[in-house]
Amino acid sequence: MKTLLTFIFQFKSFKPDIVLAYTIKPIVWGGIATRLTRITSFYALITGLGYAFQKGGFAKNTLNRLVKFLYYKALKESKGVIFQNRDNMQVFINEGIVPQEKCFLVNGSGVDLSHYHVFPLPKSLTFTYCSLTWG
């Protein structure tokens, strides 16, 4: 709840036009916070499924269902969900977490600078990075 409230406070303070979140915690709580603060442009980058998607005993299966539910709620109003792995994308589609038309597949996080030319950013564009860590 502390993470969710922090995101809500940050979004109300900064009033971002677009939010891009990656890894489970920022995606889930950031996605829910964008809905609560009426930010309409939310994108998520799924870097992997991790422990929460592995099946096992009662506790692990309960965690699996909870994580899927939270992802569904967080991504319901997203503009797009970016995946680095086709199999992970298919899991999200098959589980009904996100519809296929919102999914995008990329080959990784890096950019081949020998292929793309570097240009200065427009002066009207501002990026803000928010890192949330708890001790």
Side-chain angles (χ1 to χ4, degrees), residues 6-43:
T6 299
F7 272 122
I8 290 170
F9 175 77
Q10 293 294 323
F11 293 162
K12 283 184 176 184
S13 296
F14 290 112
K15 297 177 178 58
D17 296 319
I18 301 171
V19 173
L20 169 64
Y22 61 95
T23 71
I24 187 170
K25 192 174 179 180
I27 290 171
V28 166
W29 303 121
I32 293 170
T34 58
R35 290 178 64 194
L36 294 173
T37 56
R38 296 190 172 103
I39 295 170
T40 58
S41 292
F42 176 72
Y43 294 85

Short mmCIF file of all heavy atoms in Angstrom, two decimals, residues 6-43:
data_model
loop_
_atom_site.label_atom_id
_atom_site.label_comp_id
_atom_site.label_asym_id
_atom_site.label_seq_id
_atom_site.Cartn_x
_atom_site.Cartn_y
_atom_site.Cartn_z
N THR A 6 2.62 6.14 -2.67
CA THR A 6 3.75 6.94 -3.15
C THR A 6 3.57 7.28 -4.63
O THR A 6 3.79 8.42 -5.05
CB THR A 6 5.07 6.21 -2.92
OG1 THR A 6 5.24 5.99 -1.52
CG2 THR A 6 6.25 7.02 -3.44
N PHE A 7 3.18 6.29 -5.42
CA PHE A 7 2.93 6.55 -6.84
C PHE A 7 1.81 7.57 -7.02
O PHE A 7 1.93 8.49 -7.84
CB PHE A 7 2.57 5.27 -7.59
CG PHE A 7 3.77 4.51 -8.11
CD1 PHE A 7 3.99 3.20 -7.74
CD2 PHE A 7 4.66 5.10 -8.99
CE1 PHE A 7 5.07 2.50 -8.21
CE2 PHE A 7 5.75 4.42 -9.47
CZ PHE A 7 5.96 3.10 -9.08
N ILE A 8 0.74 7.43 -6.29
CA ILE A 8 -0.37 8.38 -6.39
C ILE A 8 0.11 9.79 -6.08
O ILE A 8 -0.17 10.74 -6.82
CB ILE A 8 -1.54 7.97 -5.47
CG1 ILE A 8 -2.20 6.70 -6.01
CG2 ILE A 8 -2.56 9.10 -5.33
CD1 ILE A 8 -3.21 6.07 -5.07
N PHE A 9 0.87 9.94 -5.00
CA PHE A 9 1.41 11.25 -4.62
C PHE A 9 2.32 11.80 -5.72
O PHE A 9 2.22 12.98 -6.10
CB PHE A 9 2.18 11.14 -3.30
CG PHE A 9 2.86 12.41 -2.91
CD1 PHE A 9 2.15 13.48 -2.37
CD2 PHE A 9 4.23 12.56 -3.10
CE1 PHE A 9 2.79 14.67 -2.03
CE2 PHE A 9 4.89 13.73 -2.77
CZ PHE A 9 4.16 14.79 -2.23
N GLN A 10 3.22 10.96 -6.25
CA GLN A 10 4.15 11.40 -7.30
C GLN A 10 3.40 11.80 -8.56
O GLN A 10 3.71 12.82 -9.18
CB GLN A 10 5.16 10.29 -7.62
CG GLN A 10 6.12 9.98 -6.50
CD GLN A 10 7.06 11.14 -6.22
OE1 GLN A 10 7.49 11.85 -7.12
NE2 GLN A 10 7.37 11.34 -4.96
N PHE A 11 2.42 11.02 -8.95
CA PHE A 11 1.67 11.32 -10.18
C PHE A 11 0.86 12.60 -10.02
O PHE A 11 0.74 13.38 -10.97
CB PHE A 11 0.77 10.16 -10.58
CG PHE A 11 1.51 8.92 -11.00
CD1 PHE A 11 0.88 7.70 -11.03
CD2 PHE A 11 2.84 8.97 -11.38
CE1 PHE A 11 1.54 6.55 -11.43
CE2 PHE A 11 3.54 7.83 -11.78
CZ PHE A 11 2.87 6.61 -11.81
N LYS A 12 0.29 12.83 -8.85
CA LYS A 12 -0.45 14.08 -8.62
C LYS A 12 0.50 15.27 -8.61
O LYS A 12 0.15 16.35 -9.07
CB LYS A 12 -1.23 14.00 -7.31
CG LYS A 12 -2.48 13.17 -7.42
CD LYS A 12 -3.27 13.20 -6.13
CE LYS A 12 -4.58 12.44 -6.28
NZ LYS A 12 -5.41 12.54 -5.09
N SER A 13 1.71 15.09 -8.10
CA SER A 13 2.69 16.17 -8.04
C SER A 13 3.26 16.50 -9.41
O SER A 13 3.33 17.66 -9.80
CB SER A 13 3.83 15.81 -7.10
OG SER A 13 3.38 15.66 -5.79
N PHE A 14 3.70 15.48 -10.15
CA PHE A 14 4.38 15.70 -11.43
C PHE A 14 3.43 15.82 -12.61
O PHE A 14 3.79 16.37 -13.64
CB PHE A 14 5.38 14.57 -11.71
CG PHE A 14 6.58 14.60 -10.82
CD1 PHE A 14 6.77 13.60 -9.88
CD2 PHE A 14 7.51 15.61 -10.90
CE1 PHE A 14 7.88 13.62 -9.04
CE2 PHE A 14 8.62 15.64 -10.08
CZ PHE A 14 8.80 14.64 -9.15
N LYS A 15 2.24 15.24 -12.50
CA LYS A 15 1.25 15.26 -13.58
C LYS A 15 1.86 14.81 -14.92
O LYS A 15 1.84 15.56 -15.92
CB LYS A 15 0.63 16.64 -13.72
CG LYS A 15 -0.16 17.08 -12.50
CD LYS A 15 -0.68 18.50 -12.68
CE LYS A 15 -1.52 18.98 -11.54
NZ LYS A 15 -0.94 18.99 -10.23
N PRO A 16 2.40 13.60 -14.97
CA PRO A 16 3.03 13.14 -16.22
C PRO A 16 2.00 12.92 -17.32
O PRO A 16 0.84 12.58 -17.06
CB PRO A 16 3.68 11.81 -15.82
CG PRO A 16 2.86 11.32 -14.68
CD PRO A 16 2.41 12.56 -13.94
N ASP A 17 2.43 13.13 -18.57
CA ASP A 17 1.57 12.87 -19.72
C ASP A 17 1.57 11.37 -20.04
O ASP A 17 0.56 10.84 -20.49
CB ASP A 17 2.06 13.64 -20.94
CG ASP A 17 1.95 15.14 -20.75
OD1 ASP A 17 0.93 15.59 -20.17
OD2 ASP A 17 2.87 15.85 -21.15
N ILE A 18 2.70 10.73 -19.85
CA ILE A 18 2.87 9.31 -20.17
C ILE A 18 3.66 8.65 -19.03
O ILE A 18 4.62 9.23 -18.53
CB ILE A 18 3.65 9.12 -21.49
CG1 ILE A 18 2.91 9.80 -22.64
CG2 ILE A 18 3.87 7.64 -21.78
CD1 ILE A 18 3.72 9.85 -23.93
N VAL A 19 3.26 7.44 -18.67
CA VAL A 19 4.00 6.66 -17.68
C VAL A 19 4.41 5.35 -18.33
O VAL A 19 3.58 4.65 -18.93
CB VAL A 19 3.14 6.39 -16.42
CG1 VAL A 19 3.86 5.44 -15.48
CG2 VAL A 19 2.80 7.69 -15.72
N LEU A 20 5.70 5.02 -18.24
CA LEU A 20 6.24 3.74 -18.69
C LEU A 20 6.82 3.06 -17.46
O LEU A 20 7.75 3.59 -16.84
CB LEU A 20 7.32 3.92 -19.76
CG LEU A 20 8.12 2.66 -20.10
CD1 LEU A 20 7.23 1.59 -20.72
CD2 LEU A 20 9.28 2.99 -21.02
N ALA A 21 6.28 1.91 -17.11
CA ALA A 21 6.76 1.17 -15.94
C ALA A 21 7.33 -0.17 -16.39
O ALA A 21 6.85 -0.76 -17.36
CB ALA A 21 5.61 0.94 -14.96
N TYR A 22 8.35 -0.62 -15.68
CA TYR A 22 8.87 -1.96 -15.95
C TYR A 22 9.23 -2.64 -14.65
O TYR A 22 9.53 -1.97 -13.66
CB TYR A 22 10.05 -1.92 -16.93
CG TYR A 22 11.25 -1.13 -16.46
CD1 TYR A 22 12.31 -1.76 -15.83
CD2 TYR A 22 11.32 0.24 -16.66
CE1 TYR A 22 13.41 -1.05 -15.40
CE2 TYR A 22 12.41 0.96 -16.23
CZ TYR A 22 13.45 0.31 -15.60
OH TYR A 22 14.53 1.03 -15.17
N THR A 23 9.16 -3.92 -14.67
CA THR A 23 9.25 -4.87 -13.56
C THR A 23 7.93 -4.86 -12.77
O THR A 23 7.16 -3.90 -12.82
CB THR A 23 10.47 -4.68 -12.62
OG1 THR A 23 10.30 -3.49 -11.86
CG2 THR A 23 11.77 -4.65 -13.39
N ILE A 24 7.67 -5.92 -12.08
CA ILE A 24 6.34 -6.19 -11.53
C ILE A 24 5.82 -5.11 -10.58
O ILE A 24 4.68 -4.66 -10.72
CB ILE A 24 6.29 -7.60 -10.89
CG1 ILE A 24 4.85 -7.93 -10.47
CG2 ILE A 24 7.27 -7.73 -9.75
CD1 ILE A 24 4.65 -9.36 -10.04
N LYS A 25 6.62 -4.68 -9.63
CA LYS A 25 6.12 -3.74 -8.62
C LYS A 25 5.69 -2.40 -9.23
O LYS A 25 4.56 -1.94 -9.00
CB LYS A 25 7.18 -3.55 -7.53
CG LYS A 25 6.70 -2.83 -6.31
CD LYS A 25 7.81 -2.85 -5.25
CE LYS A 25 7.44 -2.12 -4.01
NZ LYS A 25 8.52 -2.15 -3.00
N PRO A 26 6.53 -1.75 -10.04
CA PRO A 26 6.09 -0.50 -10.66
C PRO A 26 4.94 -0.68 -11.65
O PRO A 26 4.09 0.19 -11.78
CB PRO A 26 7.33 0.02 -11.38
CG PRO A 26 8.48 -0.65 -10.71
CD PRO A 26 7.96 -1.98 -10.27
N ILE A 27 4.89 -1.82 -12.33
CA ILE A 27 3.79 -2.05 -13.27
C ILE A 27 2.48 -2.18 -12.51
O ILE A 27 1.49 -1.51 -12.84
CB ILE A 27 4.04 -3.29 -14.15
CG1 ILE A 27 5.18 -3.03 -15.13
CG2 ILE A 27 2.76 -3.69 -14.90
CD1 ILE A 27 5.64 -4.26 -15.89
N VAL A 28 2.45 -3.04 -11.51
CA VAL A 28 1.20 -3.28 -10.78
C VAL A 28 0.74 -2.02 -10.06
O VAL A 28 -0.37 -1.52 -10.28
CB VAL A 28 1.35 -4.47 -9.80
CG1 VAL A 28 0.21 -4.51 -8.81
CG2 VAL A 28 1.45 -5.78 -10.57
N TRP A 29 1.58 -1.47 -9.20
CA TRP A 29 1.15 -0.32 -8.39
C TRP A 29 1.12 0.97 -9.20
O TRP A 29 0.25 1.81 -8.99
CB TRP A 29 2.01 -0.20 -7.14
CG TRP A 29 1.95 -1.46 -6.34
CD1 TRP A 29 3.01 -2.26 -6.00
CD2 TRP A 29 0.79 -2.10 -5.81
NE1 TRP A 29 2.56 -3.36 -5.29
CE2 TRP A 29 1.20 -3.28 -5.15
CE3 TRP A 29 -0.58 -1.80 -5.83
CZ2 TRP A 29 0.31 -4.14 -4.53
CZ3 TRP A 29 -1.47 -2.67 -5.21
CH2 TRP A 29 -1.02 -3.81 -4.57
N GLY A 30 2.03 1.11 -10.16
CA GLY A 30 2.00 2.28 -11.03
C GLY A 30 0.79 2.26 -11.95
O GLY A 30 0.16 3.29 -12.19
N GLY A 31 0.44 1.08 -12.47
CA GLY A 31 -0.73 0.96 -13.33
C GLY A 31 -2.01 1.28 -12.59
O GLY A 31 -2.89 1.98 -13.11
N ILE A 32 -2.14 0.79 -11.38
CA ILE A 32 -3.32 1.09 -10.57
C ILE A 32 -3.34 2.58 -10.21
O ILE A 32 -4.39 3.23 -10.27
CB ILE A 32 -3.37 0.18 -9.33
CG1 ILE A 32 -3.61 -1.28 -9.78
CG2 ILE A 32 -4.45 0.64 -8.35
CD1 ILE A 32 -3.45 -2.32 -8.69
N ALA A 33 -2.19 3.13 -9.88
CA ALA A 33 -2.11 4.56 -9.52
C ALA A 33 -2.48 5.45 -10.70
O ALA A 33 -3.12 6.48 -10.52
CB ALA A 33 -0.71 4.90 -9.01
N THR A 34 -2.09 5.07 -11.92
CA THR A 34 -2.46 5.89 -13.08
C THR A 34 -3.98 5.91 -13.26
O THR A 34 -4.55 6.94 -13.61
CB THR A 34 -1.80 5.42 -14.39
OG1 THR A 34 -2.15 4.07 -14.66
CG2 THR A 34 -0.30 5.59 -14.35
N ARG A 35 -4.61 4.79 -13.00
CA ARG A 35 -6.08 4.75 -13.12
C ARG A 35 -6.73 5.63 -12.05
O ARG A 35 -7.68 6.36 -12.32
CB ARG A 35 -6.57 3.32 -13.00
CG ARG A 35 -6.19 2.49 -14.23
CD ARG A 35 -6.60 1.06 -14.13
NE ARG A 35 -8.05 0.95 -14.09
CZ ARG A 35 -8.69 -0.16 -13.75
NH1 ARG A 35 -8.01 -1.23 -13.41
NH2 ARG A 35 -10.01 -0.19 -13.74
N LEU A 36 -6.19 5.58 -10.84
CA LEU A 36 -6.76 6.37 -9.74
C LEU A 36 -6.51 7.87 -9.91
O LEU A 36 -7.27 8.68 -9.39
CB LEU A 36 -6.22 5.89 -8.41
CG LEU A 36 -6.63 4.45 -8.00
CD1 LEU A 36 -5.88 4.02 -6.75
CD2 LEU A 36 -8.14 4.37 -7.81
N THR A 37 -5.44 8.23 -10.60
CA THR A 37 -5.11 9.65 -10.79
C THR A 37 -5.50 10.13 -12.20
O THR A 37 -5.13 11.24 -12.59
CB THR A 37 -3.61 9.90 -10.55
OG1 THR A 37 -2.84 9.05 -11.40
CG2 THR A 37 -3.24 9.66 -9.10
N ARG A 38 -6.18 9.29 -12.94
CA ARG A 38 -6.70 9.62 -14.27
C ARG A 38 -5.62 9.96 -15.30
O ARG A 38 -5.83 10.81 -16.17
CB ARG A 38 -7.74 10.72 -14.17
CG ARG A 38 -8.97 10.29 -13.38
CD ARG A 38 -10.07 11.30 -13.49
NE ARG A 38 -11.28 10.78 -12.88
CZ ARG A 38 -11.73 11.15 -11.68
NH1 ARG A 38 -11.07 12.04 -10.98
NH2 ARG A 38 -12.84 10.63 -11.20
N ILE A 39 -4.47 9.32 -15.19
CA ILE A 39 -3.45 9.43 -16.22
C ILE A 39 -3.82 8.42 -17.29
O ILE A 39 -3.96 7.23 -17.02
CB ILE A 39 -2.04 9.15 -15.65
CG1 ILE A 39 -1.67 10.24 -14.64
CG2 ILE A 39 -1.01 9.07 -16.78
CD1 ILE A 39 -0.43 9.95 -13.85
N THR A 40 -4.00 8.89 -18.52
CA THR A 40 -4.57 8.03 -19.55
C THR A 40 -3.53 7.31 -20.41
O THR A 40 -3.89 6.41 -21.16
CB THR A 40 -5.50 8.83 -20.47
OG1 THR A 40 -4.76 9.91 -21.06
CG2 THR A 40 -6.68 9.37 -19.68
N SER A 41 -2.27 7.69 -20.33
CA SER A 41 -1.25 7.04 -21.15
C SER A 41 -0.29 6.26 -20.27
O SER A 41 0.71 6.79 -19.78
CB SER A 41 -0.49 8.08 -21.97
OG SER A 41 -1.33 8.62 -22.95
N PHE A 42 -0.61 4.99 -20.07
CA PHE A 42 0.22 4.09 -19.27
C PHE A 42 0.69 2.94 -20.16
O PHE A 42 -0.11 2.32 -20.86
CB PHE A 42 -0.56 3.54 -18.08
CG PHE A 42 0.21 2.54 -17.26
CD1 PHE A 42 1.26 2.93 -16.46
CD2 PHE A 42 -0.12 1.19 -17.30
CE1 PHE A 42 1.99 2.01 -15.71
CE2 PHE A 42 0.59 0.26 -16.55
CZ PHE A 42 1.64 0.67 -15.76
N TYR A 43 1.99 2.70 -20.13
CA TYR A 43 2.61 1.60 -20.86
C TYR A 43 3.42 0.76 -19.88
O TYR A 43 3.97 1.28 -18.92
CB TYR A 43 3.54 2.12 -21.96
CG TYR A 43 2.81 2.85 -23.05
CD1 TYR A 43 2.51 4.20 -22.92
CD2 TYR A 43 2.42 2.20 -24.20
CE1 TYR A 43 1.84 4.89 -23.90
CE2 TYR A 43 1.74 2.89 -25.21
CZ TYR A 43 1.46 4.23 -25.05
OH TYR A 43 0.79 4.90 -26.03
#
